[in-house]
Amino acid sequence: MWLKPEEVLLKNALKLWLMERSNDYFVLQRRRGYGEEGGGGLTGLLVGTLDSVLDSTAKVAPFRILHQTPDSQVYLSIACGANREEITKHWDWLEQNIMKTLSVFDSNEDITNFVQGKIRGLIAEEGKQSFAKEDDPEKFREALLKFEKCFGLPEQEKLVTYYSCSYWKGRVPCQGWLYLSTNFLSFYSFLLGSEIKLIISWDAVSKLEKTSNVILTESIHVCSQGESHYFSMFLHINQTYLLMEQLANYAIKRLFDKETFDDDPILDDPLQITKRGLEDRAHSEQFNAFFRLPKEEILKEVHECLLWVPFSHFNARGKMCISENYICFASQDGNLCSVIIPFREVFAIEKTNDSSKSVVISIKGKTAFRFSEVKDFEQLVAKLRLKCGAASTQYHDISTEVPISSDSADPSDNIEVQSLTCQRECSKTVNTEALMTLKEKMKEQSWNILFAERGRGVSMFRTKKTQDLVIRGIPETLRGELWMLFSGAVNDMAANPGYYADVVEQSLGTCNLATEEIERDLRRSLPEHPAFQSDTGISALRRVLTAYAYRNPKIGYCQAMNILTSVLLLYAKEEEAFWLLVAVCERMLPDYFNRRIIGALVDQAVFEELIRDHLPQLTEHMTDMTFFSSVSLSWFLTLFISVLPIESAVNVVDCFFYDGIKAILQLGLAILDYNLDKLLACKDDAEAVTTLNRFFDSVTNKDSPLPSSVQQGSNVNDGKSHIRVDITDLIRESNEKYGNICCEDIYSMRCRNRLFVIQTLEETTKQNVLRVVSQDVKLSLHELDELYVIFKKELFFTYYWCLSYPVLKHHDPSLPYLEQYQIDCQQFRVLYHLLSPWAHSANRDSLALWTFRLLDENSDCLINFKEFSSAIDIMYNGSFTEKLKLLFKLHIPPAYTEVKSKDPSKGDELSKEELLYLSQLHVSKLENEKEAEAVKNSPEKGKGKADIQAYLSQWQDELFKKEENIKDLPRMNQSQFIQFSKTLYNLFHGDREEESLYQAIAVVTSLLLRMEEVGRKLHSPISSAKGFCGTVCASRGASEEKTESSLEKDPSLLREEPQWSFAFEQILASLLNEPALVRFFEKPTDVEAKLENAKISQLSCRTKM
């Protein structure tokens, strides 16, 4: 690697470096202790320790090139190398391209300037793509070289960043370097001859957290495959931890959770990930989450400034955050003052002429925002004016404010869509104006005063007063408007005019599994509410749910979405309800409504963590924390709508749209705290569930304007007197007691627990697969477990470094457990080489290919773990007959295909392209045939509806699948038998009984051919079998060539004579007569040792080490 020219002191360096080559202008040196026998003694150990600990060029590489000029004491380091081959290339290049030119210059100064310029030019050209985005390209290049030297990972493994730190082995810290790359966490240390090299793949991390104890003041704890690792002594531990968290979650998404990763183009190419990019991404995510902006928004600029707050007559200090479509402000002083200004609302941006460095932004509602003490405010004004011009063009047909539902006196009337005609049948049932209580009017008046002071709409000031009013409950007439505002759905709707009407039209008449489930649940959605006792309400609910299923087929429809959407439709117009559902499913509750409800499981884990922190006595009492998960699942999925009376649940939804998941977590803690004594007195889970259900029945909303016919009256009069709990008091108490839980902590806990939840799901998948497979193989559960880990890791290695792979399918959790992970022929070959006891054979690539083709029964060029383990099991634990039958089947169709390498110099070795091509030969069917057969055999034929009878039939066939009879096996023809004999010869090579095995196989072959000759004497006076018998009995190496040549030189003879063939029983009977052959195939092999070696070799075979 070329280095930026820097002066070095050669006087002291001679103690650490040895000269290898030199000329008038350059010196090539080797680091003392490197490449010497015994490591160079004590000096070598000390040098190695210095190299590991110190952050200098010396630590990077054992070779370097210095530039010198005659009669000068100044030396410049210009190149370094990890090995002799690399540094020699650089030396040769200097001799061929630079040396001749240097003789032209008159002065040493000109020579030095020329060399420096040339080296800098090489570095600039080399680093155009790779290091341009790094903060310090030169240091990063050095770290990259050390990383490659220490770990030898493939070039596609992108180093993101590196840190100096200590790794704790027991109670002993080892100082070294931590490298964070796209797929691995790596650590290297060398102290006085003791080398520590640690590589942990991100996908194996199940826990990542910051910890502190008596010994370690602050450290990062990484748990991988049951082992704990501690790293400490970081200069910036928070920054390091956040990057590690991002990389771990990125790997988890990419490998286990492809549903969400598909929507993430930023991380689609691992080679583009940089430290700065990850930091920017984290800031953007936090920015969007805090201000409830669309996921596509990217934070561009942040400015420290003051915002004039007119109703309080003071300047609030905070940060102005600017993205492509929004200007946002959040205060730092705890006043909870925040503002969102969409560019579509801005009509003027001005700057003041005084010394306040102010920017004034005027919006269409006759409101102006004054930001002062803005650094570089003149440039900022110019940028904002450009953005404002673009935004006003983009949104020219959008009204200033989204139509709000307060125009209608009846919240039920909002169930409508402008493009579709709907009747207003609900207006007589619920008339908010007639039923509004005095408290409701007072609440509405409070909000009107707030609007007058702080503005109304997207750009209103949001303060502590806003939160207090939300906690009291939003008035019925304002609920739809404020839900749209606080959730950010108003921005989605403004950015996509006409989108909902188009989706409704396109989804009309679609019929699939989602629409069938929607139809089934329509009548179960708030059946007690008048709005859903008529076709009008039901039709609106159907349209919203079907439109969303059409928009997001990965989620489609999930139970609980119907309950949530029903409540949204009570207070918002149909199109608004759709965008509110989008905001909930895609932003506010991410991954809640996918197939595995990962988001809900993660938040349940966060909830359990908060219970441990805030209610430790409850944690001590409960023997199993999973009780809280089972109880709280419906709380999170339906925002308490399914457990609380509807008039109380809407107040919870108010707080959720304002505070996000924080409101649900706080309320959950408050409920458990309120019932603490009763829960501590419970003897089992059933009693605790009953206690909580009674509590929910006692929750009321004394301010609700809804009549008793709409309220869930069954819960009000249950024949027993319970203390009534007002929902407003409960929410207020949750804020007072647990309001200190901040959004940043929840975000961090979500990231941390996501790793644990997904790894737990993966462990469940593994256990289910092992349970199924263990019934059919003789491998022990421990051996199967190890084999599964190796199988899955091989698949992941391909995902690590092959961005576009045509055959491989990404992990799909909706598939049956066995089909979730499948490998192709190339991956199978690698595993075959690592695991098969027959992998020492010269034609091992051919054997791997034929074995793969045999296992690939459905001809999709992929095999699952059950198929893979069945082959390995026979090779290790099969009887003599089973092993021989496997070898026999490998040499007859459909497994067998003639193999000829394009490159004769490689012998029997096949290239990746040849292997993949041959694996697909003679097995691919026409697409329409495949589809027809798939539909015919699939239990899910028809309209996506599962055919239970077909599933049962398939299951029964599997159970009663009869043992394959050896008489049913087809006969082996002469060319196949020749290859079969060659395979046996290859298998015996290197065995202790090699000679006797060769003699035995020669005897068997002769016997078989004589038997066949007797059977064919009537057909042919001249038999080619004799010729073959002679060649087989000949010596080992020559026998194989003669076997082929004797039959290939005269193809006309083969055409004239009838083809001879052998049945499996003939071959088996003949081989059983030879004790040496029986001993060979029944020889026990240590499976565990083989698996352990495979785990170690799996990564090392891909590295350059």
Side-chain angles (χ1 to χ4, degrees):
M1 182 176 80
W2 299 109
L3 298 174
K4 181 181 174 183
E6 287 182 356
E7 286 189 23
V8 295
L9 294 172
L10 204 59
K11 184 178 178 183
N12 295 326
L14 288 173
K15 298 174 183 176
L16 302 176
W17 294 89
L18 299 172
M19 192 177 295
E20 294 262 310
R21 296 191 198 178
S22 67
N23 56 38
D24 290 341
Y25 300 104
F26 301 105
V27 179
L28 191 157
Q29 294 179 329
R30 173 174 56 81
R31 193 73 163 164
R32 189 179 291 276
Y34 183 85
E36 297 177 22
E37 290 185 17
L42 182 59
T43 309
L45 290 180
L46 290 170
V47 172
T49 302
L50 284 170
D51 290 351
S52 176
V53 175
L54 296 180
D55 183 14
S56 65
T57 308
K59 78 176 188 304
V60 174
F63 293 96
R64 71 177 182 182
I65 297 175
L66 305 179
H67 166 60
Q68 62 168 354
T69 51
D71 306 322
S72 172
Q73 296 301 311
V74 177
Y75 286 79
L76 299 173
S77 63
I78 59 170
C80 63
N83 51 55
R84 196 179 298 275
E85 184 184 356
E86 183 185 355
I87 205 70
T88 303
K89 276 185 184 177
H90 284 33
W91 180 266
D92 292 343
W93 188 89
L94 289 169
E95 286 191 328
Q96 292 167 17
N97 297 280
I98 302 292
M99 285 292 291
K100 294 175 184 176
T101 312
L102 295 183
S103 58
V104 176
F105 294 101
D106 296 327
S107 69
N108 290 343
E109 188 178 345
D110 290 342
I111 291 173
T112 302
N113 289 338
F114 174 78
V115 171
Q116 286 183 320
K118 196 69 178 173
I119 299 302
R120 286 197 177 98
L122 288 170
I123 292 171
E125 191 63 35
E126 188 182 86
K128 261 183 186 175
Q129 302 299 323
S130 308
F131 314 111
K133 296 178 183 178
E134 304 302 334
D135 295 331
D136 189 343
E138 189 58 39
K139 284 189 105 177
F140 190 83
R141 289 172 80 250
E142 292 180 9
L144 179 62
L145 190 67
K146 172 104 186 265
F147 173 67
E148 290 174 349
K149 173 201 164 190
C150 291
F151 303 102
L153 294 168
E155 289 179 4
Q156 298 93 324
E157 184 61 23
K158 174 80 163 59
L159 178 64
V160 177
T161 189
Y162 60 101
Y163 298 99
S164 172
C165 71
S166 291
Y167 170 63
W168 290 78
K169 289 196 77 177
R171 291 174 175 265
V172 181
C174 303
Q175 186 65 26
W177 292 88
L178 180 72
Y179 298 91
L180 306 181
S181 58
T182 47
N183 298 298
F184 297 98
L185 176 157
S186 312
F187 177 83
Y188 182 80
S189 171
F190 183 88
L191 293 171
L192 298 177
S194 174
E195 185 181 54
I196 296 172
K197 193 181 290 186
L198 180 72
I199 301 179
I200 301 171
S201 58
W202 291 118
D203 57 81
V205 174
S206 56
K207 185 183 279 187
L208 183 65
E209 60 184 356
K210 279 192 293 184
T211 59
S212 59
N213 55 38
V214 179
I215 301 173
L216 305 175
T217 51
E218 214 174 7
S219 63
I220 295 175
H221 172 212
V222 180
C223 185
S224 169
Q225 296 176 342
E227 291 184 25
S228 288
H229 307 275
Y230 291 90
F231 301 91
S232 68
M233 305 291 286
F234 289 98
L235 193 59
H236 305 289
I237 191 166
N238 290 330
Q239 181 197 66
T240 309
Y241 176 73
L242 284 173
L243 276 171
M244 290 169 75
E245 196 174 60
Q246 279 184 288
L247 285 166
N249 274 289
Y250 154 64
I252 289 288
K253 275 188 177 183
R254 188 157 70 99
L255 300 172
F256 298 130
D257 194 17
K258 198 66 174 65
E259 292 173 299
T260 55
F261 185 77
D262 277 342
D263 300 326
D264 206 342
I266 298 170
L267 294 179
D268 205 30
D269 182 1
L271 294 175
Q272 299 305 314
I273 294 177
T274 61
K275 177 185 170 186
R276 191 188 301 171
L278 286 173
E279 288 171 347
D280 291 346
R281 179 184 174 80
H283 293 150
S284 290
E285 285 175 354
Q286 290 172 2
F287 165 71
N288 292 338
F290 184 83
F291 293 107
R292 303 282 158 70
L293 300 179
K295 288 191 296 184
E296 297 76 27
E297 288 300 310
I298 297 172
L299 182 61
K300 301 286 187 183
E301 297 177 54
V302 178
H303 298 273
E304 296 273 355
C305 65
L306 299 173
L307 172 63
W308 174 248
V309 184
F311 50 86
S312 299
H313 303 288
F314 77 98
N315 279 309
R317 180 165 292 282
K319 290 182 179 179
M320 179 200 288
C321 305
I322 302 169
S323 68
E324 198 63 42
N325 299 299
Y326 298 90
I327 303 168
C328 303
F329 176 87
S331 65
Q332 295 175 337
D333 53 10
N335 273 340
L336 298 177
C337 173
S338 63
V339 173
I340 300 170
I341 309 170
F343 278 116
R344 64 176 183 272
E345 297 292 325
V346 177
F347 75 84
I349 297 173
E350 299 164 346
K351 59 183 177 181
T352 57
N353 295 322
D354 55 21
S355 59
S356 62
K357 297 181 180 177
S358 298
V359 178
V360 179
I361 299 172
S362 304
I363 62 170
K364 295 171 184 175
K366 295 184 179 178
T367 306
F369 299 91
R370 185 173 184 268
F371 299 92
S372 56
E373 294 188 20
V374 183
K375 191 179 178 183
D376 300 327
F377 73 107
E378 291 182 345
Q379 291 94 320
L380 179 62
V381 168
K383 287 180 190 173
L384 293 179
R385 282 175 177 167
L386 279 173
K387 282 181 179 287
C388 185
S392 60
T393 306
Q394 186 180 352
Y395 294 100
H396 70 279
D397 58 343
I398 307 298
S399 60
T400 304
E401 293 293 341
V402 176
I404 56 174
S405 58
S406 58
D407 294 40
S408 170
D410 181 359
S412 310
D413 283 347
N414 296 327
I415 302 175
E416 57 177 305
V417 71
Q418 294 167 0
S419 61
L420 303 167
T421 58
C422 296
Q423 298 175 358
R424 301 193 176 208
E425 297 178 5
C426 302
S427 58
K428 296 177 185 177
T429 314
V430 185
N431 191 319
T432 308
E433 191 64 42
L435 297 171
M436 184 177 285
T437 62
L438 180 62
K439 286 185 177 178
E440 185 75 3
K441 285 182 178 178
M442 288 172 64
K443 282 200 290 186
E444 191 172 345
Q445 185 62 29
S446 299
W447 277 96
N448 288 331
I449 293 169
L450 184 86
F451 292 148
E453 285 183 354
R454 292 158 169 76
R456 185 168 185 171
V458 184
S459 302
M460 70 183 287
F461 280 90
R462 303 173 198 208
T463 63
K464 184 75 168 64
K465 181 69 181 293
T466 315
Q467 187 183 36
D468 292 340
L469 289 180
V470 171
I471 289 169
R472 283 175 52 191
I474 298 174
E476 301 278 302
T477 53
L478 297 176
R479 197 159 257 144
E481 173 191 353
L482 292 175
W483 283 0
M484 288 289 288
L485 197 64
F486 296 145
S487 67
V490 64
N491 297 315
D492 293 324
M493 187 165 150
N496 298 279
Y499 176 88
Y500 175 67
D502 292 342
V503 173
V504 168
E505 191 176 339
Q506 290 164 14
S507 64
L508 218 60
T510 54
C511 188
N512 50 43
L513 194 60
T515 56
E516 287 182 12
E517 289 178 349
I518 289 168
E519 287 299 324
R520 187 185 62 217
D521 288 346
L522 284 175
R523 304 281 171 184
R524 304 175 190 172
S525 310
L526 300 187
E528 73 285 345
H529 200 290
F532 298 101
Q533 292 169 357
S534 68
D535 286 341
T536 307
I538 294 293
S539 298
L541 181 59
R542 178 188 293 113
R543 285 193 294 273
V544 173
L545 290 173
T546 307
Y548 186 77
Y550 183 85
R551 164 191 166 87
N552 193 342
K554 286 180 183 173
I555 291 178
Y557 171 77
C558 176
Q559 280 189 332
M561 285 171 71
N562 61 318
I563 298 171
L564 178 60
T565 310
S566 303
V567 174
L568 298 178
L569 280 167
L570 291 177
Y571 299 99
K573 294 181 180 180
E574 192 176 309
E575 184 177 5
E576 293 172 349
F578 171 79
W579 287 112
L580 282 168
L581 185 64
V582 169
V584 170
C585 294
E586 297 176 15
R587 277 206 318 273
M588 300 185 74
L589 297 178
D591 303 340
Y592 259 61
F593 302 100
N594 59 21
R595 296 182 183 96
R596 297 190 289 175
I597 58 168
I598 286 173
L601 296 175
V602 169
D603 281 345
Q604 282 182 301
V606 171
F607 187 50
E608 285 179 20
E609 196 173 325
L610 291 171
I611 292 170
R612 280 191 286 270
D613 292 341
H614 295 277
L615 301 169
Q617 61 272 53
L618 191 58
T619 310
E620 291 166 11
H621 176 72
M622 303 299 291
T623 53
D624 187 4
M625 288 293 284
T626 54
F627 163 75
F628 298 112
S629 299
S630 58
V631 168
S632 64
L633 183 60
S634 62
W635 303 358
F636 291 103
L637 282 173
T638 66
L639 308 178
F640 284 95
I641 296 168
S642 63
V643 292
L644 284 174
I646 184 66
E647 67 277 6
S648 301
V650 289
N651 283 37
V652 178
V653 179
D654 293 343
C655 296
F656 168 73
F657 279 127
Y658 189 82
D659 269 332
I661 194 63
K662 176 176 180 278
I664 305 299
L665 293 167
Q666 285 176 185
L667 184 60
L669 288 172
I671 289 167
L672 294 178
D673 188 25
Y674 191 93
N675 293 278
L676 185 60
D677 294 336
K678 292 177 183 177
L679 289 170
L680 291 175
C682 291
K683 296 174 183 176
D684 54 34
D685 291 355
E687 194 178 341
V689 171
T690 305
T691 300
L692 289 172
N693 286 339
R694 282 179 183 162
F695 170 78
F696 287 131
D697 290 345
S698 70
V699 176
T700 61
N701 186 355
K702 60 190 179 187
D703 296 342
S704 175
L706 296 180
S708 57
S709 61
V710 175
Q711 294 187 29
Q712 295 176 357
S714 59
N715 297 333
V716 179
N717 301 309
D718 57 359
K720 293 182 182 179
S721 59
H722 290 296
I723 299 171
R724 298 291 168 205
V725 182
D726 184 60
I727 187 65
T728 307
D729 295 337
L730 190 62
I731 291 172
R732 187 179 287 111
E733 188 179 332
S734 75
N735 265 278
E736 288 170 358
K737 282 192 173 182
Y738 307 108
N740 60 342
I741 299 170
C742 62
C743 297
E744 289 78 9
D745 290 341
I746 293 172
Y747 176 80
S748 181
M749 282 191 280
R750 272 179 159 180
C751 288
R752 185 165 64 245
N753 284 289
R754 186 182 184 86
L755 294 173
F756 173 74
V757 166
I758 292 186
Q759 293 291 8
T760 303
L761 291 172
E762 285 298 304
E763 183 63 25
T764 304
T765 300
K766 181 174 80 171
Q767 294 306 325
N768 282 307
V769 169
L770 298 187
R771 191 179 66 250
V772 171
V773 173
S774 62
Q775 298 170 7
D776 300 326
V777 297
K778 295 172 187 172
L779 291 164
S780 68
L781 267 176
H782 174 70
E783 290 165 350
L784 270 179
D785 191 306
E786 295 287 296
L787 191 63
Y788 183 87
V789 170
I790 295 169
F791 177 87
K792 191 166 126 181
K793 180 57 73 176
E794 187 58 40
L795 183 66
F796 283 3
F797 280 139
T798 306
Y799 291 156
Y800 288 169
W801 302 305
C802 298
L803 299 179
S804 56
Y805 215 68
V807 184
L808 281 182
K809 298 171 185 174
H810 279 278
H811 177 232
D812 185 354
S814 66
L815 292 172
Y817 289 123
L818 278 169
E819 305 302 320
Q820 287 185 20
Y821 293 112
Q822 299 182 89
I823 58 172
D824 69 354
C825 195
Q826 166 62 15
Q827 293 160 325
F828 179 79
R829 170 169 66 173
V830 176
L831 291 176
Y832 186 90
H833 290 180
L834 288 172
L835 293 165
S836 173
W838 303 338
H840 63 276
S841 172
N843 65 334
R844 62 181 187 170
D845 278 3
S846 302
L847 284 176
L849 169 68
W850 299 331
T851 308
F852 180 85
R853 285 166 60 92
L854 178 67
L855 297 174
D856 183 23
E857 291 181 2
N858 62 353
S859 304
D860 64 349
C861 300
L862 295 168
I863 62 169
N864 61 34
F865 179 71
K866 185 178 181 181
E867 294 161 338
F868 172 75
S869 59
S870 65
I872 296 295
D873 183 58
I874 291 173
M875 292 177 195
Y876 281 100
N877 299 320
S879 64
F880 176 79
T881 305
E882 288 170 333
K883 290 178 181 177
L884 196 65
K885 185 166 74 172
L886 174 62
L887 279 171
F888 183 87
K889 287 166 77 174
L890 294 184
H891 293 82
I892 56 173
Y896 180 75
T897 183
E898 192 175 348
V899 176
K900 281 186 180 177
S901 176
K902 291 179 183 177
D903 187 356
S905 64
K906 290 186 177 180
D908 291 322
E909 190 180 332
L910 296 172
S911 68
K912 180 179 172 181
E913 291 72 23
E914 289 171 335
L915 191 74
L916 292 173
Y917 169 74
L918 291 168
S919 70
Q920 299 168 39
L921 267 184
H922 309 303
V923 293
S924 59
K925 298 181 181 180
L926 293 172
E927 284 301 313
N928 53 1
E929 283 181 33
K930 271 189 179 180
E931 287 173 17
E933 190 175 326
V935 171
K936 182 181 175 183
N937 296 331
S938 172
E940 296 187 5
K941 54 191 171 189
K943 302 175 185 177
K945 190 173 181 181
D947 186 346
I948 303 301
Q949 290 299 324
Y951 272 124
L952 289 171
S953 175
Q954 278 189 7
W955 181 56
Q956 198 172 24
D957 290 345
E958 285 290 323
L959 285 177
F960 296 105
K961 203 172 186 181
K962 63 174 186 175
E963 185 69 28
E964 185 179 41
N965 196 319
I966 58 174
K967 292 182 180 178
D968 298 333
L969 290 172
R971 294 173 70 85
M972 182 182 281
N973 67 31
Q974 59 191 37
S975 63
Q976 292 159 4
F977 183 71
I978 291 169
Q979 183 58 59
F980 177 73
S981 303
K982 288 173 67 177
T983 298
L984 289 177
Y985 272 107
N986 287 327
L987 288 180
F988 302 150
H989 181 66
D991 192 86
R992 283 182 300 180
E993 295 187 72
E994 186 175 354
E995 284 299 327
S996 56
L997 285 167
Y998 282 139
Q999 289 172 7
I1001 197 62
V1003 169
V1004 168
T1005 310
S1006 303
L1007 177 63
L1008 284 168
L1009 289 168
R1010 280 201 296 272
M1011 288 165 58
E1012 185 62 21
E1013 186 182 4
V1014 169
R1016 288 191 310 109
K1017 265 187 177 178
L1018 295 174
H1019 298 283
S1020 173
I1022 304 168
S1023 173
S1024 63
K1026 279 185 181 177
F1028 177 68
C1029 172
T1031 60
V1032 166
C1033 297
S1035 64
R1036 289 165 245 160
S1039 67
E1040 295 172 15
E1041 294 173 18
K1042 290 178 183 176
T1043 299
E1044 282 189 285
S1045 60
S1046 62
L1047 290 169
E1048 287 175 5
K1049 279 182 181 176
D1050 194 1
S1052 60
L1053 183 63
L1054 293 180
R1055 282 198 299 270
E1056 289 169 9
E1057 296 178 359
Q1059 291 275 326
W1060 43 267
S1061 61
F1062 299 109
F1064 176 69
E1065 300 117 294
Q1066 292 176 289
I1067 296 174
L1068 176 63
S1070 304
L1071 291 172
L1072 279 169
N1073 286 326
E1074 297 296 326
L1077 293 173
V1078 176
R1079 281 196 303 273
F1080 175 84
F1081 283 107
E1082 291 190 343
K1083 182 169 52 181
T1085 313
D1086 189 347
V1087 185
E1088 288 200 18
K1090 193 76 173 175
L1091 289 170
E1092 194 58 39
N1093 287 334
K1095 283 176 74 175
I1096 296 167
S1097 307
Q1098 201 170 14
L1099 178 61
S1100 61
C1101 70
R1102 286 176 165 79
T1103 64
K1104 307 168 195 169
M1105 301 303 288

